[in-house]
Amino acid sequence: MKKYLLAFAATAMAFGAMLPAAAQAEGERFVLISHAPDSDSWWNTIKNAIKVAGEQMDVEVEYRNPPTGDLADMARIVQQATASNPDGIIVTIADFDVLSGPVSDAVAKGIPVITINSGTEEQSKKLGAMMHVGQPEYTAGKLAGERAKKESGATSFVCVNHYITNPASVERCQGFADGLGVELGDQMIDSGMDPSEVKSKVQAYLNAHPDTGAILTLGPNSAEPTLAALDEMGKSGQIYFGTFDLSTAIADAIKAGTINFAIDQQPYLQGYLPVVLLTNYARYGVMPSNSINSGPGFTTKDNIELVEKYAGQYR
Amino acid sequence: MRPVPAWRKALVRPETGSICGTILVFVFFAMIAGNSGMFSAEGFINWGTVSAQFAIIAVGACLLMIAGEFDLSIGSMIGFSGIIIALLTVQLGVPTWIAIIAAFALAVAIGGLNGYLVIRTGLPSFIVTLAFLFILRGLTIYIAIATTSKTIIGGVKEASEGDWLAALFGGHVLTGLFSWLADKGLIGQFVAGPRAGQPVVEGIPMLMVWALALIIVGHFILVRTKFGNWIFAAGGDAQAARYVGVPVNRVKILMFMLTAFCATVFATCQVMEFGSAAADRGLLKEFEAIISVVIGGALLTGGYGSVIGAALGALIFGVVQQGLFFAGVESSLFRVFLGVILLLAVILNTYIRRRITGER
């Protein structure tokens, strides 16, 4: 018994020693809270961005997310962050209803808040945040749809939605449908996150709808398995293919002509800018008065060279 | 026969390990996160709320586990009940109190079906409720998409304004006390916006009241009533229990209904607090409930355990989960810490029990 207790205490001590002493560092402390589940690799770019910004500005930035992507858990994390009195909070508006309470409480407590990524400028204003750094999702989807219509004349499509529980993802599919000028109907599929599951669902859809004119994927998690599906079905380059976000595989596919465009919302800026802005606000009280659109920017064969080098890292 | 000393009697109780664990966890976090805001009023409400969430589902899972069964559909049930409430109130305009009662009725009926299928088919409850994990999750996403083409249904707060039953799940108690504390400067106040001057903690959320009520009622039923003995008997040796006239089937089915009830309490509190329901709510919550119960000293094989233990298990889980954040642990390492601390708690627990009961 005593031995076990000792072991327990020793382990506890070891953990204590491993904990960052950074909690007492001189620099300001900010918390970035995202809605992404642990399985979403896209957020690595933002993690890299806050690391760079943190080092440059000599501040500490913590990254927090709900492990399963449960937005109610995310709201608890916002409350936690507020209770720990940081110098600023950077948060995504994954669901306005769920987050409005906790985020407005943080604002009311006098903590500067910048919203990023999901959500709109209007929602950000309603929460009392200082600004929003992101990409308007519906507009991005619509511009993608219009581009697809101009370049391919497609009248049907499939939207591979790997994160169906996030409203922004549905807005992208809806925007794409409106851009093409067709009804969304059941052209959006709930693919799930697992790559082999995504791949087989896309194959099943394309087998059942062989005349599909365009494909829209919402990020690497759905784009990469879809590429594999097309490859296996011998359809690579045969269907107009647009995607959101970038990764190494997506960049390669753009070069190969399999993917026609990728919408880059430049997540690096969504992580980097708020840290820099909040630090300057904390130190000198300066803050721009407008929100910042970090996207959409289209990456195509023409400008891929620029993007490719840093895909998955800073792009 | 040798008389059993009192200390030995105390140690043989299932909650002993979790009491030690609770003390250790609090000492640990007082040491590493003592001045991080974790033990301020806001911090307390934060980990208290999370612990209360775990406790609500753990009470049901605990009694079911003592009765010898599992329910893996708890998490999906949370998403399902929430969507039902939101659909009825926001889409169909039904008064909130009717929507809540309907969600409870539906959930408890599904819980009953779970139990009935386990009893009738003789399959392990692990399999039957695993099936319902998928059935309910799929159904939830389908209903939400089919009716609103969204997976998150908002606007419940506006729709349930002034509803008496909604207030029982989403409100706060002791708000006067907290205003008074804020006036005295004992807890912080908001400094900006429309709520400036109000205390940062509005009151004790109803979620905690529900957790406390379920713990007390669950504990009372388990240790003070004949039905409690039936629960132990059903999970200990079902056949032997049948021979002495315990209605094992009825007890088990009722316990499945209880877990569904607890999941719906969780869902309703969440929907009322956040004003929206989402099809992916409650993901993996079934495991969190089971983890709380196991830290609390219950046996996975049934017939042994306690509600107080499960409640302390939920407290440990909540404090560890939120405390690591206050301590500033890097988020990817966060779950490693959580896993290790959980493992330690369970090992400690099992060690104490084996040492005392002499079981192998």
Side-chain angles (χ1 to χ4, degrees):
Chain A
M1 176 68 218
K2 207 165 155 197
K3 203 173 66 189
Y4 271 78
L5 272 177
L6 273 175
F8 193 99
T11 320
M13 297 291 205
F15 277 160
M18 272 171 72
L19 292 169
Q24 287 95 35
E26 295 121 295
E28 287 83 356
R29 189 176 69 93
F30 303 115
V31 186
L32 188 151
I33 304 145
S34 89
H35 56 265
D38 286 349
S39 51
D40 195 337
S41 58
W42 184 84
W43 285 81
N44 188 44
T45 305
I46 287 193
K47 283 191 202 168
N48 286 340
I50 58 177
K51 199 172 152 220
V52 170
E55 278 163 13
Q56 286 178 359
M57 306 305 290
D58 192 24
V59 296
E60 187 197 333
V61 193
E62 290 170 15
Y63 175 85
R64 300 286 154 191
N65 65 312
T68 59
D70 188 325
L71 299 182
D73 286 349
M74 180 189 174
R76 297 271 174 254
I77 297 176
V78 176
Q79 289 171 338
Q80 250 176 0
T82 307
S84 70
N85 288 318
D87 296 294
I89 291 177
I90 304 158
V91 63
T92 70
I93 318 177
D95 178 10
F96 184 79
D97 281 322
V98 172
L99 294 167
S100 61
V103 174
S104 340
D105 282 357
V107 172
K109 226 187 133 190
I111 299 171
V113 173
I114 289 183
T115 58
I116 59 166
N117 191 257
S118 309
T120 63
E121 209 182 320
E122 292 75 49
Q123 290 176 333
S124 177
K125 280 205 179 106
K126 245 188 253 174
L127 293 174
M130 312 199 91
M131 66 159 63
H132 184 74
V133 184
Q135 164 176 271
E137 300 296 350
Y138 175 80
T139 312
K142 195 166 178 197
L143 287 174
E146 282 166 0
R147 193 181 185 99
K149 191 181 181 183
K150 202 174 81 194
E151 292 183 354
S152 74
T155 53
S156 63
F157 71 101
V158 58
C159 181
V160 187
N161 192 339
H162 68 272
Y163 190 17
I164 198 144
T165 48
N166 184 344
S169 69
V170 184
E171 273 175 37
R172 289 173 171 183
C173 298
Q174 184 66 53
F176 194 76
D178 293 350
L180 277 180
V182 298
E183 285 279 313
L184 178 58
D186 52 8
Q187 299 185 98
M188 177 174 74
I189 57 173
D190 171 11
S191 68
M193 280 276 187
D194 179 68
S196 47
E197 202 181 310
V198 177
K199 183 177 150 200
S200 51
K201 278 184 180 160
V202 170
Q203 283 180 338
Y205 185 92
L206 291 178
N207 280 325
H209 306 84
D211 53 349
T212 302
I215 298 176
L216 181 71
T217 57
L218 303 187
N221 283 320
S222 44
E224 292 177 12
T226 302
L227 282 171
L230 289 176
D231 191 37
E232 209 171 286
M233 295 175 83
K235 289 194 170 189
S236 294
Q238 307 293 305
I239 304 179
Y240 193 85
F241 189 162
T243 185
F244 278 83
D245 305 336
L246 282 162
S247 69
T248 315
I250 291 175
D252 288 345
I254 291 176
K255 275 206 296 195
T258 323
I259 291 183
N260 299 72
F261 67 81
I263 291 176
D264 186 11
Q265 58 170 301
Q266 309 186 88
Y268 183 81
L269 293 177
Q270 297 176 4
Y272 181 82
L273 288 178
V275 174
V276 172
L277 294 173
L278 284 171
T279 309
N280 280 295
Y281 183 73
R283 290 180 188 166
Y284 316 117
V286 289
M287 178 66 72
S289 50
N290 282 328
S291 288
I292 296 171
N293 277 357
S294 67
F298 286 91
T299 303
T300 61
K301 224 171 182 170
D302 303 331
N303 61 0
I304 185 70
E305 299 295 327
L306 270 171
V307 176
E308 200 196 359
K309 193 171 159 199
Y310 294 118
Q313 199 179 356
Y314 298 111
R315 291 295 299 255
Chain B
M1 210 170 117
R2 221 153 35 101
V4 184
W7 63 269
R8 204 164 175 126
K9 243 185 200 160
L11 279 176
V12 81
R13 297 175 66 88
E15 57 266 25
T16 309
S18 51
I19 291 173
C20 299
T22 310
I23 295 169
L24 277 176
V25 159
F26 271 98
V27 169
F28 178 64
F29 282 107
M31 262 161 39
I32 66 165
N35 48 9
S36 62
M38 182 175 174
F39 296 102
S40 69
E42 265 177 296
F44 168 77
I45 292 291
N46 186 263
W47 52 255
T49 307
V50 173
S51 300
Q53 283 186 337
F54 291 142
I56 285 173
I57 45 177
V59 169
C62 171
L63 291 176
L64 180 66
M65 207 185 284
I66 295 173
E69 305 289 344
F70 280 109
D71 188 351
L72 295 182
S73 66
I74 295 174
S76 298
M77 184 66 85
I78 290 171
F80 178 75
S81 326
I83 286 286
I84 295 292
I85 293 172
L87 270 182
L88 289 177
T89 50
V90 179
Q91 292 301 117
L92 302 179
V94 172
T96 310
W97 64 274
I98 297 182
I100 293 175
I101 292 171
F104 270 102
L106 199 56
V108 170
I110 295 172
L113 179 64
N114 257 333
Y116 179 77
L117 287 175
V118 169
I119 300 294
R120 278 312 293 261
T121 59
L123 290 170
S125 52
F126 190 91
I127 298 300
V128 173
T129 57
L130 186 62
F132 270 87
L133 180 155
F134 291 112
I135 294 171
L136 286 175
R137 183 67 67 194
L139 207 58
T140 308
I141 298 180
Y142 174 78
I143 305 175
I145 296 264
T147 50
T148 63
S149 77
K150 285 183 295 191
T151 55
I152 299 184
I153 303 172
V156 182
K157 218 169 240 171
E158 293 73 25
S160 59
E161 198 79 57
D163 190 272
W164 61 274
L165 195 55
L168 221 58
F169 289 91
H172 289 81
V173 295
L174 299 179
T175 49
L177 175 68
F178 281 89
S179 303
W180 181 80
L181 284 173
D183 283 341
K184 296 275 168 211
L186 291 170
I187 59 173
Q189 292 178 331
F190 287 122
V191 296
R195 293 179 60 196
Q198 287 178 20
V200 289
V201 177
E202 201 183 332
I204 303 284
M206 282 306 291
L207 193 72
M208 286 193 196
V209 179
W210 272 99
L212 214 57
L214 281 170
I215 293 164
I216 292 168
V217 172
H219 179 71
F220 180 82
I221 289 176
L222 190 64
V223 301
R224 293 262 182 270
T225 65
K226 188 169 73 176
F227 191 78
N229 284 332
W230 289 356
I231 297 176
F232 279 117
D237 184 340
Q239 208 45 51
R242 284 196 185 93
Y243 289 144
V244 296
V246 174
V248 171
N249 294 354
R250 204 194 326 153
V251 169
K252 288 193 173 186
I253 292 176
L254 273 171
M255 289 304 106
F256 275 106
M257 292 163 93
L258 177 71
T259 54
F261 176 86
C262 292
T264 311
V265 170
F266 182 109
T268 314
C269 288
Q270 203 169 57
V271 169
M272 292 311 148
E273 180 180 354
F274 294 122
S276 76
D280 67 345
R281 291 282 155 74
L283 227 53
L284 299 184
K285 288 280 184 276
E286 55 279 342
F287 292 110
E288 293 174 355
I290 291 172
I291 289 167
S292 302
V293 174
V294 173
I295 299 177
L299 277 185
L300 286 165
T301 45
Y304 182 86
S306 96
V307 174
I308 300 292
L312 289 173
L315 182 63
I316 293 175
F317 198 177
V319 171
V320 169
Q321 183 177 312
Q322 305 300 95
L324 287 175
F325 170 84
F326 283 106
V329 176
E330 161 70 28
S331 78
S332 4
L333 287 178
F334 167 85
R335 296 215 277 185
V336 178
F337 282 77
L338 192 63
V340 170
I341 292 182
L342 292 181
L343 199 57
L344 284 176
V346 177
I347 290 173
L348 188 68
N349 234 329
T350 315
Y351 173 79
I352 291 176
R353 196 185 57 242
R354 289 213 178 127
R355 188 65 187 262
I356 300 308
T357 57
E359 76 182 84
R360 287 276 139 206

